[in-house]
Amino acid sequence: MNTSQSHINTVMNIVGRHAAVPALADDNPIHRSWLRCYNDYGLNPSSRHRMQVESSGKLRERREQHARYLRTARAGMEQLYAQVADLDYVLMLADADGIALDFLGAQATDSPFRAGLVAGANWHEQTAGTNGIGTCLAERRTLTCHSSDHYYAGNLDLSCAATPLYDPEGELMGVLDLSTVTTTQSRGNQQLISRLTALYGRMIEDANFIRHFGNRWILKMSRNPALVDVNAEAMLAFDADGVIVGANSGARSQLQLTVEGVVRGSLIGHSLAAVFRNRAGDIWRLARGTEADDCGLLETWTDQAYYGTVRGPRRGTASTSSSNAPAVPGNVAELEALADNDPQMNQLISQAKRLASRPFNVLIQGETGTGKEVLAKALHQASPRAARAFVAINCAALPESLIESELFGYQPGTFTGARSRGMVGLIQRADGGTLFLDEIGDMPLALQTRLLRVLSEGEVLPLGADKPIPLSLTVIAASHRKLREQIAAGQFREDLYYRLSGATLHLPPLRERQDRAYLIRRILRDEAGALGTSDWIAPQALELLLHYRWPGNIRELRNVLRYALSMAETRGIEIGDLPAEVRDEAVSAALTVDASPAAATATAVPDGDECEANGGEDQHLLSTLRSHHWVISEVARDLNLCRATIYRRMKRYGIVVPTQFC
């Protein structure tokens, strides 16, 4: 009997033995996986596994969703791969669907197994059977899938070590996997590789955790005081009120939260005092951090002892004399970066700077896609609440059946299907910080009434609760709708409108802004950085973007630039990389803009188009276009004409931009 048939018999024997009583396989994750493959997915271990690989377009979309995380992970992957580069391993980072997003290692086409060790490969258990990535996702634990552990007989030469990766919010992000097709690797060797993979997986998680919570306080803990700052076993992120806003994998697995003798699961939303016996002032003294006492002993309510050190937020300087430390003053850098030389935006930013430090609720009005949430976040960062929570709620996106429980939270056992521990509502999570209510005009009237009570009374009553919870928060609301018209139509409460609009900021549409070139270059730089490509753009392409009307505003601009970067070659964006509809409308706008009175007076000298062109004018224009490499703005400046006149004369004389400049 050959090896493949022997393996198939082994799998079927295990599956048959545990088919009636699956619980017998509970102590073996590989056998549990085999049962899932056979019973749940209907996979046949004797069939030939055909690897599914995502298209380049879909892979690009997945990478964009995790762009920031991938940049952090890549640094850790390169360090890990340097440790095993000589051992013929392939290193992959997969997302929560089992799709390999990043890849390090030499590709080889001489092995059918190697075909799956590439970016874009789908290693989900439902598709690929028992394997390192897919089974790690299902089991949510570090594991080894060596040779005969695989479900398909065709994967017997493959040996994998995989560890799960969690994002800073505690959600499963994906898997870090080291695989090899070298059959000489023993199971014992793979156990060592598995530990190495887990070590670097935690390093990647922790680096991303610190980056994500860079504007909060971070408590690092270890049982070894010498290693607490460089190799923390657990980390908690907390705000200036000492409320926990984040916990890394180590903290979630090691720290138990007890409330009145009952072990609770989630740390998020509870104070540090609910975890540690130490007085709050002891932790804030760690935050002050002198060389003599920057590491202190902390004791949990479950009698665990750690040495701890506190890292402060990136922005501003917090006073840490007590658990009720005052908010950290923000800065206005993000506000100032919103515009360049546009008079409307400069006036808005000037108003925003004055409002940020005052306890005003602010209403932002503007068309869809103008950047209302970006402005709200910049206001928050410029405020004394910068180190505290910014909670964004899209009132138009929350299902009406869930919006009440999501906003106000609920007590345990309030309704069927509720979480057993209850839930802290989004409004309560913004306590001490900023609550951003996007598309407030779409909030149902009944909830407008409850929100008005929260704002007027300064307290929130979760569903099923007897006593309200006091709050201190500032609200920034936004809407593309004309709220006064909705008030007249009986669709929006007038008293809520006046409660929200302590000050109103009007965001202009992109087509009215004079700093479009600045926005294009700034957003292009951000998107190119996220995609790891060049941010160069041809002057001709920039000209067309400046003429486009942008009905979708900044959101549309970002999507167009993202598309163009995806289409572009390594040099950067050319005209041909822009979406066809943008090119066509921009050219049309450039040729007709001179119909406006403003354009008619834009030339410094008469353009002479109403009379016969003098001899050689077409050749002179063609020569000037060539000398300036077909950059219309430079030609217009050289000839002392407006750009619309240049386009019009090109059309008259049949002058077409050469393809190499398109």
Side-chain angles (χ1 to χ4, degrees), residues 217 228-229 281-296 308-312 320:
W217 303 89
V228 63
D229 198 45
D282 295 337
I283 297 177
W284 285 114
R285 275 191 287 275
L286 293 178
R288 279 201 295 270
T290 65
E291 292 185 5
D293 63 353
D294 60 356
C295 180
T309 182
V310 174
R311 167 181 173 154
T320 56

Side-chain angles (χ1 to χ4, degrees), residues 118-181:
V118 294
N122 185 342
W123 283 103
H124 194 281
E125 208 178 51
Q126 187 173 357
T127 300
T130 305
N131 68 87
I133 290 175
T135 305
C136 179
L137 286 172
E139 295 287 329
R140 299 197 173 203
R141 56 182 282 187
T142 301
L143 55 81
T144 296
C145 190
H146 179 69
S147 187
S148 59
D149 292 336
H150 290 82
Y151 186 76
Y152 283 116
N155 287 340
L156 292 179
D157 287 344
L158 193 61
S159 187
C160 315
T163 190
L165 297 175
Y166 291 86
D167 69 19
E169 307 296 339
E171 296 296 327
L172 182 64
M173 195 288 295
V175 168
L176 186 67
D177 175 90
L178 264 177
S179 295
T180 181
V181 293

Side-chain angles (χ1 to χ4, degrees), residues 283-508:
I283 297 177
W284 285 114
R285 275 191 287 275
L286 293 178
R288 279 201 295 270
T290 65
E291 292 185 5
D293 63 353
D294 60 356
C295 180
L297 187 62
L298 302 173
E299 186 179 3
T300 72
W301 288 103
T302 53
D303 298 323
Q304 297 166 286
Y306 293 90
Y307 291 93
T309 182
V310 174
R311 167 181 173 154
R314 283 194 301 257
R315 300 181 183 279
T317 303
S319 170
T320 56
S321 57
S322 72
S323 60
N324 294 318
V328 179
N331 65 52
V332 297
E334 292 189 23
L335 273 174
E336 292 175 341
L338 294 178
D340 185 23
N341 58 355
D342 180 76
Q344 293 184 79
M345 285 298 299
N346 288 340
Q347 181 180 2
L348 180 147
I349 291 170
S350 178
Q351 294 172 333
K353 287 179 181 177
R354 293 193 294 271
L355 292 171
S357 60
R358 292 169 172 80
F360 278 152
N361 292 334
V362 176
L363 176 63
I364 302 174
Q365 296 264 214
E367 294 181 6
T368 299
T370 49
K372 295 186 286 292
E373 183 169 355
V374 174
L375 173 58
K377 288 180 178 178
L379 270 167
H380 174 74
Q381 292 298 334
S383 76
R385 305 175 303 281
R388 303 188 185 184
F390 176 88
V391 178
I393 302 171
N394 189 327
C395 301
L398 283 175
E400 193 164 344
S401 58
L402 296 178
I403 191 170
E404 191 168 19
S405 60
E406 290 286 333
L407 288 180
F408 301 100
Y410 54 82
Q411 294 295 299
T414 302
F415 53 85
T416 303
R419 298 179 185 176
S420 60
R421 296 186 297 271
M423 188 183 77
V424 177
L426 293 172
I427 292 177
Q428 188 178 344
R429 293 182 192 178
D431 185 21
T434 300
L435 178 67
F436 175 58
L437 299 172
D438 197 11
E439 301 303 346
I440 185 67
D442 294 309
M443 177 177 281
L445 275 170
L447 289 178
Q448 291 180 31
T449 302
R450 287 206 63 184
L451 177 61
L452 178 64
R453 178 175 179 80
V454 170
L455 299 181
S456 59
E457 302 295 331
E459 58 186 27
V460 63
L461 183 67
L463 300 178
D466 298 325
K467 296 181 180 179
I469 299 171
L471 296 175
S472 173
L473 54 82
T474 298
V475 177
I476 301 177
S479 180
H480 72 283
R481 301 183 183 277
K482 296 179 180 179
L483 295 183
R484 288 187 179 276
E485 293 181 2
Q486 287 192 280
I487 292 171
Q491 298 171 345
F492 198 83
R493 291 186 61 114
E494 186 173 14
D495 45 5
L496 177 58
Y497 172 80
Y498 289 114
R499 178 70 66 172
L500 292 171
S501 59
T504 302
L505 299 176
H506 294 275
L507 264 176

